[in-house]
Amino acid sequence: MTSGTQPSNPAGTEHRDVIIVGAGLSGIGAACRLQQELPGKDYAILEGRADLGGTWDLFRYPGIRSDSDMFTLAYPFRPWREPKSIADGADIRRYIGETADQYGVRDHIRFGTKVVGASWDSATARWTVDTETADGPRRYTCAFLFMCSGYYDYDRGYQPEFPGREDFTGTWVHPQFWPEDLDCTGKRVVVIGSGATAVTLIPSLAEQAEHVTMLQRSPSYLTVLPSRDPVADRLRRILPAKLAHTILRYQYVALTQSFYQLARRRPERVKKVLRGLALRFLKDESYVDQHFTPSYEPWDQRLCVVPEGDFFRSIRAGDASVVTDHIDRITERGIRLRSGEELPADVIVSATGLSLKPLGGMTIRVDGEQVDIGKTVTYRGLMLSGVPNLAFCIGYVNASWTLRADLVARYVPRLLAHMDRRGIAVATPAPTVSPDRPLLDLASGYVKRSEHLFPRQGRKDPWRLRQNFFLDAIGLGRADLEKDMLLTPASAVGQRSAAVTAPSEAGIAADTPTEKELAS
């Protein structure tokens, strides 16, 4: 084969310019942006599930809803028109589907196609993507691979081993795999956990159950938001939909970022505000101090949103309650606590958290060498050191996922267009910093359990993942696309590139923070 030529595909192998993995919120958005900005690129979306929606298709437990406002969770190019600013899961799933249909994206999706691995070959400048389908293995090839599979493990949630669990004679449920036929009417329900899932489940379950108890080892911070914004309603009546959506989007971003910065810089003030919200609904200082006063600082873990205070209202009405204690063991009829108290239960919901895995758990190889994702460094929070022609999508931990997902979805076409203009076939981030920080800056258990699996980040651009939309909107939009990149022209394809000989930490220089950086 002569240099710069591409081999024909083996029979049965489908080739596309770009393959997007995942048909959830970020995958559909990425496809729309690719069509808008590079209509000449052909692409396919590979989705392991039978329908689109990603996380919003997977999670079907009672009461599931967004924990971000829909003006930032929705796509900026398709305004959110529904009345609720904190939307139910079914509404979000429908919105994603309608977007896919409106932009003609659904026709590009290969449903029931689970990606299990991808291998890069420098000699051809192609990814070979291996998948599993109901009809057996199927192979795809592409010039660029865009991972929009999120970071949840769809196959399993986090489940601690509780002593005596096998003795329980009632119904044991993990929210990630909620049975469609589960009826909690008139039953005693205990929900183990204090995160967003538990806080979402309890008001819904309390409407039918005899009583719902939230059992937590330690409290979490909760904030109350309205489920409908009257200002948004007025703006949408008097302004064109896209203009109103843009104004509301930036308004909510500003409010969210301001509150986050306040929490990090003035945690005691934010603690007082959050305590006041709980007290306003519960009217009991001792109850709030016992069950809603966490030991960590605000935003060390993600805040849980309580629309209209529904969780607090369930407690105030006597339909739900909170117990703060540790589990001694599961018994035949409930849960025995370390204090000696026993919580009777007909149904135990183990809302104990999620399991995370990078790139949907797929195996990545570069010229035959398997990449240890945990030893790579993230480039602009969207590519991996030493891994060519691959981008991944990850959202913010302190704001809506889509805010950052859309910035990434716009960066990728910009990079591809630049490569086309300059005749570049391969773009590989070349590490120049030490990976001394975790990718996700949260103290939550589900993050800490998995952080070794994820790429690291440095302290300097472009090797850091910012948690600031406004800085990213400027930075990613104007970023030097060749900074710290090893670029291979199309004419050189066929020669093994030094850029991909060591896809992990080789060649990373020291990155010592300055006194100014430490002070900030």
Side-chain angles (χ1 to χ4, degrees), residues 54-106:
T55 299
W56 298 104
D57 181 58
L58 173 69
F59 293 104
R60 300 293 188 103
Y61 56 80
I64 183 169
R65 64 199 178 203
S66 64
D67 63 351
S68 300
D69 65 273
M70 289 305 300
F71 304 112
T72 56
L73 191 66
Y75 304 116
F77 54 83
R78 186 167 184 267
W80 176 252
R81 300 174 185 271
E82 300 296 324
K84 285 187 176 181
S85 56
I86 302 294
D88 299 331
D91 293 333
I92 299 172
R93 193 165 59 249
R94 184 174 60 254
Y95 170 81
I96 298 171
E98 290 173 351
T99 304
D101 292 333
Q102 180 177 334
Y103 286 85
V105 168
R106 193 183 292 268

Side-chain angles (χ1 to χ4, degrees), residues 155-183:
D155 298 323
R156 64 185 183 92
Y158 177 64
Q159 180 58 74
E161 290 301 320
F162 295 117
R165 178 184 163 184
E166 65 280 1
D167 298 332
F168 182 57
T169 57
T171 303
W172 186 282
V173 183
H174 193 286
Q176 190 165 323
F177 309 101
W178 195 270
E180 291 184 10
D181 59 351
L182 180 60
D183 184 4

Side-chain angles (χ1 to χ4, degrees), residues 332-363:
E332 182 179 349
R333 291 171 294 192
I335 303 175
R336 188 169 70 228
L337 307 175
R338 285 187 186 176
S339 63
E341 180 185 358
E342 182 158 347
L343 297 177
D346 304 303
V347 178
I348 295 178
V349 180
S350 184
T352 46
L354 304 163
S355 293
L356 306 186
K357 57 183 180 183
L359 307 186
M362 63 186 288
T363 301

Side-chain angles (χ1 to χ4, degrees), residues 286-303:
S286 63
Y287 198 86
V288 169
D289 291 341
Q290 181 180 1
H291 301 302
F292 297 99
T293 307
S295 58
Y296 58 89
E297 299 295 331
W299 273 115
D300 282 351
Q301 299 182 23
R302 192 175 175 104
L303 263 67

Side-chain angles (χ1 to χ4, degrees), residues 1-315:
M1 183 180 67
T2 59
S3 176
T5 63
Q6 296 290 338
S8 60
N9 262 2
T13 300
E14 183 177 337
H15 179 78
R16 291 288 180 266
D17 294 328
V18 179
I19 283 182
I20 298 169
V21 179
L25 195 60
S26 50
I28 298 301
C32 292
R33 286 300 194 186
L34 187 63
Q35 289 184 171
Q36 291 169 5
E37 301 183 30
L38 285 179
K41 293 287 184 186
D42 64 343
Y43 71 94
I45 304 175
L46 308 183
E47 170 55 53
R49 298 176 64 78
D51 202 352
L52 53 71
T55 299
W56 298 104
D57 181 58
L58 173 69
F59 293 104
R60 300 293 188 103
Y61 56 80
I64 183 169
R65 64 199 178 203
S66 64
D67 63 351
S68 300
D69 65 273
M70 289 305 300
F71 304 112
T72 56
L73 191 66
Y75 304 116
F77 54 83
R78 186 167 184 267
W80 176 252
R81 300 174 185 271
E82 300 296 324
K84 285 187 176 181
S85 56
I86 302 294
D88 299 331
D91 293 333
I92 299 172
R93 193 165 59 249
R94 184 174 60 254
Y95 170 81
I96 298 171
E98 290 173 351
T99 304
D101 292 333
Q102 180 177 334
Y103 286 85
V105 168
R106 193 183 292 268
D107 294 339
H108 294 262
I109 305 174
R110 311 294 185 263
F111 290 111
T113 302
K114 181 179 181 180
V115 176
V116 295
S119 301
W120 172 263
D121 177 37
S122 292
T124 59
R126 283 189 177 185
W127 283 101
T128 296
V129 182
D130 290 309
T131 72
E132 295 176 351
T133 74
D135 298 323
R138 181 169 174 78
R139 178 165 284 182
Y140 296 79
T141 60
C142 64
F144 197 94
L145 186 58
F146 193 177
M147 300 299 302
C148 295
S149 49
Y151 51 47
Y152 291 145
D153 186 339
Y154 280 19
D155 298 323
R156 64 185 183 92
Y158 177 64
Q159 180 58 74
E161 290 301 320
F162 295 117
R165 178 184 163 184
E166 65 280 1
D167 298 332
F168 182 57
T169 57
T171 303
W172 186 282
V173 183
H174 193 286
Q176 190 165 323
F177 309 101
W178 195 270
E180 291 184 10
D181 59 351
L182 180 60
D183 184 4
C184 293
T185 303
K187 294 182 178 179
R188 298 164 298 178
V189 181
V190 175
V191 179
I192 304 173
S194 59
T197 302
V199 170
T200 299
L201 268 168
I202 286 170
S204 181
L205 293 176
E207 293 177 2
Q208 289 87 31
E210 176 184 320
H211 189 80
V212 183
T213 303
M214 183 171 84
L215 172 59
Q216 60 179 12
R217 288 185 303 177
S218 57
S220 298
Y221 285 110
L222 311 181
T223 185
V224 178
L225 293 177
S227 61
R228 185 165 180 164
D229 184 346
V231 174
D233 292 341
R234 286 196 294 272
L235 275 178
R236 289 187 290 189
R237 281 197 300 267
I238 63 176
L239 295 176
K242 285 191 176 181
L243 177 58
H245 186 75
T246 299
I247 293 172
L248 290 165
R249 184 179 177 84
Y250 281 101
Q251 171 190 303
Y252 274 88
V253 173
L255 289 172
T256 302
Q257 294 284 293
S258 298
F259 186 74
Y260 175 78
Q261 291 298 328
L262 180 63
R264 304 313 279 170
R265 298 170 187 272
R266 299 287 188 271
E268 294 305 318
R269 183 181 300 180
V270 171
K271 288 179 187 179
K272 185 176 181 181
V273 170
L274 296 177
R275 182 180 184 274
L277 288 173
L279 193 57
R280 192 180 82 190
F281 284 94
L282 298 177
K283 314 294 185 185
D284 187 333
E285 289 195 25
S286 63
Y287 198 86
V288 169
D289 291 341
Q290 181 180 1
H291 301 302
F292 297 99
T293 307
S295 58
Y296 58 89
E297 299 295 331
W299 273 115
D300 282 351
Q301 299 182 23
R302 192 175 175 104
L303 263 67
C304 299
V305 173
V306 183
E308 307 293 346
D310 58 1
F311 172 72
F312 293 130
R313 292 179 191 277
S314 295
I315 296 173

